[in-house]
Amino acid sequence: MKFKQIRSPLISDNGKWVTYSTKPDRGNGEVIAVHTETGKAYTIKRGANPIITKNGAYVAAAVEPDFAALEKWAGGKDKKNKKKKPKNGLALLDTNTGKITSFEKVKAYKFSDDSRWLFYCLLPGEKKEDKKAEGKKAEEKKTEKKKDKKKSGEKKPDTSTLVLRHLKDGKEIRVEKTTAVLFDPSSLFLAY
């Protein structure tokens, strides 16, 4: 059970950084970034699916929920309540300093080709309602949504908040209700 598999190996375009993830059969995985010349290594705990900038300056990886917390959710009463299910996050590693910046509830992420930008999409927010009124409102909304779907024949696309982060200074631009996002090859434009 403790034997780890190596997954998602990548090397930066300049050949100075290699990153990969390791995952045991049961338990938490990790992402490891290694400098090819010095052997210096950084670890992102519970990391998976790493990506690396072309210049090797940054590594981003999904941060999976703790394995024990997921097992507890899957085997217990919490499974019925989707809001309590642990969600993936994102870790951004600066390979020059070793600093890791964390983000919560992230569903997708990508670097620009010029190694200057990172975009990530947040999972939809969870609405907080009064528990007494929640039951009636939820039933009414479900009935209305079913009627609307039958009438239109279309399914509404899932939307999320897009966050565009400048890697050097950490400044961010947020765009609400996006369904898709793409950098152009020159990294001068972002379409969403």
Side-chain angles (χ1 to χ4, degrees):
M1 296 292 191
K2 292 181 181 178
F3 185 80
K4 295 181 179 180
Q5 296 178 355
I6 294 177
R7 299 176 179 173
S8 311
L10 295 171
I11 189 166
S12 62
D13 280 5
N14 64 8
K16 292 189 177 180
W17 286 92
V18 172
T19 185
Y20 57 91
S21 62
T22 63
K23 178 89 172 158
D25 187 41
R26 294 181 60 81
N28 294 320
E30 60 188 9
V31 166
I32 300 169
V34 180
H35 194 276
T36 57
E37 295 172 1
T38 64
K40 188 177 196 174
Y42 298 111
T43 302
I44 299 172
K45 296 188 183 301
R46 297 191 342 257
N49 305 319
I51 59 174
I52 190 167
T53 55
K54 291 185 182 266
N55 64 3
Y58 293 91
V59 173
V63 176
E64 297 177 333
D66 181 61
F67 184 77
L70 271 178
E71 273 196 330
K72 182 180 176 184
W73 176 83
K77 296 176 185 175
D78 290 345
K79 191 171 184 181
K80 293 177 185 175
N81 187 352
K82 291 181 181 180
K83 291 182 182 180
K84 290 188 179 181
K85 182 180 180 183
K87 309 278 195 274
N88 279 359
L90 175 68
L92 178 63
L93 166 68
D94 181 340
T95 58
N96 294 315
T97 63
K99 180 183 176 189
I100 296 175
T101 306
S102 299
F103 309 95
E104 293 184 5
K105 299 179 183 176
V106 175
K107 70 175 185 177
Y109 52 96
K110 186 175 180 175
F111 289 119
S112 61
D113 285 342
D114 66 358
S115 302
R116 292 177 52 217
W117 299 93
L118 165 71
F119 79 72
Y120 58 96
C121 297
L122 301 173
L123 289 165
E126 297 167 0
K127 295 178 182 175
K128 297 179 182 176
E129 294 185 20
D130 184 40
K131 289 186 179 181
K132 291 178 183 176
E134 188 175 293
K136 288 183 181 179
K137 284 182 182 178
E139 287 300 319
E140 289 171 8
K141 284 180 184 178
K142 282 182 186 177
T143 306
E144 287 176 26
K145 284 182 182 179
K146 284 180 183 177
K147 287 179 183 176
D148 290 343
K149 282 182 185 178
K150 285 180 183 177
K151 286 179 185 176
S152 68
E154 294 180 15
K155 187 178 179 182
K156 276 190 171 181
D158 291 334
T159 63
S160 64
T161 300
L162 163 69
V163 182
L164 181 63
R165 182 183 180 90
H166 191 265
L167 293 169
K168 196 168 186 177
D169 61 22
K171 290 184 180 177
E172 294 184 342
I173 300 168
R174 290 178 175 258
V175 181
E176 301 293 327
K177 297 183 180 180
T178 61
T179 57
V181 61
L182 184 67
F183 279 111
D184 78 309
S186 69
S187 301
L188 293 175
F189 297 95
L190 178 75
Y192 60 87

